[in-house]
Amino acid sequence: MSAHLLDVRDLGKRFSRNGRLVTALDGISLTVARGETLALVGPSGSGKSTLGRAILRLIEPDRGEISFEGKNLLGLNSADLRAARARLQMVSQDPQAAFNPRATVARVIDDPLRIHGLGSRTERPAMIARLLERVGLSPDLHRRAVHEISGGQRQRVAIARAIATKPSLIVLDEAVSALDVSVRGDILELLADLQRDENIAYLFISHDLGVVRAVAHRVAIMDAGRIVETGDARTVVADPQSATGKALVAAVPKLRYRAATEKA
Amino acid sequence: MKPMLSIRGLSVAYRRDGQEVVALEAIDLDVGAGEKLAIIGESGSGKSTLALAVAGLLPASAKVAGTVEWPSLGRAPVNGRDIGFVFQDPSASLNPVLSVGEQIAEVARTHRGMDWRQAYTLAEELLGRVKLPEPAILRRAYPHQLSGGQKQRVAIAAAIAGKPQLLIVDEATSALDTIVQQDIVALIRQLADEDGMSLLFITHDIALASEIADRIAVFRHGRLVEVGDTGRLIASPREAYTQGLLAAHLGLEDVSR
C-alpha cells in the first residue's frame, strides 16, 4: 500500500447538467504526506471543490482510487467509512451554512464526539471546553448560539469541531476566503499551530494565491478537471510553467505604489 | 472646480433588535468629476452603508444626519440616470425572467427617452462594450444562461446604460475568481476613463483598490480612518490601522514573514 497519507489515482467524475455531460474531474492523481499542506488552486469550475468533496466521499467518483491511511476509501462499507470519516474532516467557507443556526457552540462540537463515541455524556463537556481553548476561544462561549458569534469565532468553532475526532487530514475549502484580513492572519496561524502539534495534513482549496504562497508546502493547479501543474508552492507562484498558473499569478491584485493616473 | 459629490457630517444609524447601531459617524468626503475613489474596510466598517447613502437607497427606518450634495449637478440625482450601481451578486440584481437585452434597454428607455428600437440597439452596443461575445445573439439570453462573470458584465452594461456621472461598484468582483476579477476591474477602469465617469469602488481588498483608484479612503467601525492619494496611502500610511491592513495583506510581493 501507499506510504502516503492520501493517494489519489486517476479520479474521474462527470455530471449531467442541462442534458449535457460535464467532466468535473478528468484523471486526477495526487498525494498528500502526513503533516503536509497541499493547496488546490484554479479558476471557478476547474474542479477543485469537486475533488475535495470526492475525497470526503460526499460525491462518488465514476472511476479511480482513493487510498487514505492505507485503506481503499472507495471500497469501505458504511461502518468502516464512518470510522474513516473521524480521521478525515472538513472546514468550509461559511460555517454558518454548515451549522444548524439555532445550535449552541457546545452542540456543534458535541455532535462529532457523540457520533464517533468519544467520551461519555459526563466527560464530553470538559472535552468541549478543552477544544474551545485549543482554538483560542473562551470555554464560556459554549452556551452561545452559533449565529450570535462573529465570523472569525465561528470559523474557530468549525476548526474545533473538525479536530474533535483527531483527524489526520482536513479539507479546508476556501476556509479563510470570507474572513476579514485582520482575522484571517490569526486563523492561518491557528491552522499552522495545529499542524505542527498534531501533524495534521491539509488539503487547502483556495482561489487566493497570496494566501497559498504563505501557507502551503506544495500546490496543484487545476483547470477543466485536470491538474496542469504541481510543485513547491513558492517555486510555482514565483515561476509558473502552465498557462493556467501564469494567468492565476498575473491576476493576483498587486499593491500599487503609484496612483492609477500616473501609470503609462 | 466643484466636486461632483460632497458628503458632509454624514451619520447613519440602523435599529436592530430595538437598539440603535451606528453604521457611519460624521463622514466628510468629496469625489471629484472623473475621479476614481476606492472605499476600503472590513466587515462592519460602514463602506456599503456609505454607498447606499450616496445612492439614496438606505432603508426608510435608517436614521440619517448630515448632507450628501451634488454641486456639479445642481439638483438631486436620479438613480439609473445620474448614478449607476453594480452590486456584489448579479443574480440578485438582474431580473431572472427578462432577457438581458431587455433589462439594459429598459434603463435607456426610462432615463434617456429612447424608444424600444433605439434602446435595443444601444443594449447591443453596450453588450459589446462590456466585451460579451455576439451581442446580437446574447441580448436574447436570460441571466441563468450566463456565468457569474458574464452576468456581472450585463449588470455593468445596465448600470452605464443611463450614462451616469457616478458609477458605484460595491464588492462587484468578490464572488468571482481572480482571473475573472482582473478582467472585470480592467473593464470598469476602461469604461470610467472612456466616459469620464466618477467611480466609487467599494472593496475589502486594499491591493485591488490600489489597482484602480486615484484615491483610497479607509473606513473602520463607521469612521473614516484616513483618505489619500493611492500612492501615498500605500507607500506611507499615516494611521496604525491602515498599516495593519497592509501588513495583513498576503500578496505575491516578497515580504519577510
Side-chain angles (χ1 to χ4, degrees), chain A residues 17-244:
Chain A
R17 190 172 294 159
N18 300 331
R20 281 187 315 174
L21 271 182
V22 178
T23 303
L25 301 178
D26 188 8
I28 298 281
S29 298
L30 59 80
T31 60
V32 181
R34 286 187 188 274
E36 181 187 42
T37 298
L38 173 68
L40 286 180
V41 182
S44 52
S46 58
K48 53 191 194 297
S49 286
T50 303
L51 177 56
R53 297 173 72 81
I55 289 167
L56 292 159
R57 274 197 71 179
L58 298 174
I59 57 169
E60 292 296 313
D62 302 330
R63 65 182 163 92
E65 291 169 30
I66 303 172
S67 157
F68 173 66
E69 295 190 323
K71 293 192 219 53
N72 171 14
L73 203 61
L74 299 176
L76 296 180
N77 63 32
S78 56
D80 289 342
L81 179 62
R82 180 182 290 189
R85 283 223 164 103
R87 308 280 296 156
L88 181 58
Q89 289 286 354
M90 173 178 197
V91 176
S92 63
Q93 175 168 357
D94 179 11
Q96 180 125 41
F99 298 160
N100 173 350
R102 292 166 63 176
T104 61
V105 167
R107 173 65 194 270
V108 161
I109 303 174
D110 189 56
D111 279 345
L113 295 174
R114 186 171 39 79
I115 290 165
H116 291 286
L118 301 167
S120 66
R121 185 189 292 261
T122 49
E123 289 164 340
R124 292 202 303 267
M127 295 170 80
I128 292 166
R130 275 199 301 277
L131 284 163
L132 285 171
E133 280 181 340
R134 186 67 194 84
V135 298
L137 292 173
S138 159
D140 297 342
L141 212 67
H142 75 278
R143 284 177 210 282
R144 302 278 294 278
V146 288
H147 71 82
E148 290 176 339
I149 60 179
S150 72
Q153 288 176 326
R154 207 149 43 225
Q155 206 56 304
R156 286 177 192 271
V157 170
I159 292 168
R161 175 187 167 103
I163 62 171
T165 58
K166 302 202 178 306
S168 57
L169 176 68
I170 303 179
V171 175
L172 301 165
D173 191 355
E174 300 282 6
V176 299
S177 305
L179 299 174
D180 283 329
V181 289
S182 55
V183 177
R184 183 180 69 184
D186 295 342
I187 298 286
L188 291 175
E189 211 163 288
L190 169 64
L191 290 169
D193 278 356
L194 291 170
Q195 182 166 67
R196 198 170 45 239
D197 295 350
E198 325 266 342
N199 206 28
I200 304 172
Y202 297 133
L203 193 63
F204 191 92
I205 300 171
S206 177
H207 69 282
D208 187 336
L209 273 181
V211 173
V212 164
R213 178 179 184 269
V215 305
H217 301 109
R218 285 189 306 130
V219 61
I221 293 177
M222 291 187 65
D223 199 358
R226 292 170 172 272
I227 291 177
V228 295
E229 180 167 4
T230 177
D232 171 79
R234 285 186 167 249
T235 310
V236 168
V237 170
D239 186 19
Q241 301 299 309
S242 63
T244 309

Side-chain angles (χ1 to χ4, degrees), chain B residues 25-177:
Chain B
E25 206 170 346
I27 304 300
D28 295 333
L29 197 59
D30 288 345
V31 183
E35 183 185 37
K36 301 184 197 73
L37 176 68
I39 307 288
I40 68 162
E42 300 187 287
S43 27
S45 62
K47 58 187 190 298
S48 287
T49 296
L50 182 81
L52 294 175
V54 167
L57 294 175
L58 287 171
S61 59
K63 224 174 96 182
V64 184
T67 57
V68 177
E69 288 180 346
W70 302 77
S72 65
L73 206 59
R75 59 175 167 78
V78 177
N79 276 342
R81 185 170 75 198
D82 302 309
I83 307 173
F85 210 128
V86 183
F87 297 93
Q88 177 170 352
D89 181 5
S91 303
S93 52
L94 296 175
N95 186 330
V97 297
L98 293 184
S99 72
V100 301
E102 194 172 349
Q103 307 194 42
I104 300 167
E106 194 180 23
V107 178
R109 245 177 59 85
T110 309
H111 295 297
R112 292 170 70 177
M114 293 182 171
D115 62 30
W116 276 113
R117 223 173 49 138
Q118 292 170 315
Y120 270 117
T121 307
L122 178 76
E124 239 179 81
E125 184 194 314
L126 288 172
L127 287 170
R129 273 194 83 194
V130 297
K131 301 187 171 62
L132 283 165
E134 304 194 66
I137 298 169
L138 197 97
R139 77 173 172 93
R140 295 177 204 282
Y142 290 86
H144 75 270
Q145 295 171 302
L146 306 179
S147 72
Q150 289 174 325
K151 272 187 279 206
Q152 202 54 290
R153 288 175 194 273
V154 171
I156 292 168
I160 63 171
K163 272 197 158 295
Q165 297 186 31
L166 174 69
L167 185 64
I168 301 176
V169 178
D170 188 1
E171 295 279 13
T173 62
S174 312
L176 304 173
D177 75 41

Side-chain angles (χ1 to χ4, degrees), chain B residues 209-225:
Chain B
S210 79
E211 290 200 327
I212 193 165
D214 305 317
R215 281 196 306 152
I216 296 178
V218 181
F219 278 68
R220 185 192 194 195
H221 300 333
R223 291 169 183 267
L224 178 56
V225 174

